[in-house]
Amino acid sequence: TLSSSSAASDVYKRQALAYAYEALARGESVSGNPVEAKAWLAKAHEVVETISDDETQKMLRDDLATIAV
C-alpha cells in the first residue's frame, strides 16, 4: 500500500542520514579529531532514535558502537 511504501521510504531516508553522520564521525575519529567525531556521532544517534524499525535501529547502533572516540 501507499502508506507502507511511504513508511519504508522514511525509514530508508533516516537510515541513509544516520549512515552519512556515521561516516563523518568515523572520518573525524581516524583523523584524530575526537571532538568533531563525538559531535557527528551524537547527530547519528539522534537520527537513530527517530527510526521506527527496531531491527534497523539495532543495526545502526551496533555500527555506531564501533567508532572509537
Side-chain angles (χ1 to χ4, degrees):
T1 65
L2 182 59
S3 63
S4 64
S5 175
S6 178
S9 176
D10 183 61
V11 168
Y12 174 75
K13 288 176 185 175
R14 291 170 191 263
Q15 179 182 0
L17 180 58
Y19 273 121
Y21 289 150
E22 181 263 351
L24 291 165
R26 194 172 299 281
E28 293 293 354
S29 176
V30 299
S31 296
N33 300 314
V35 173
E36 291 87 352
K38 287 178 186 178
W40 289 117
L41 195 55
K43 286 187 173 285
H45 280 289
E46 287 175 16
V47 175
V48 169
E49 293 303 316
T50 70
I51 295 174
S52 59
D53 182 72
D54 292 339
E55 188 175 320
T56 301
Q57 274 193 357
K58 182 184 180 329
M59 177 181 63
L60 283 159
R61 281 193 190 107
D62 289 348
D63 288 342
L64 294 175
T66 67
I67 300 174
V69 289

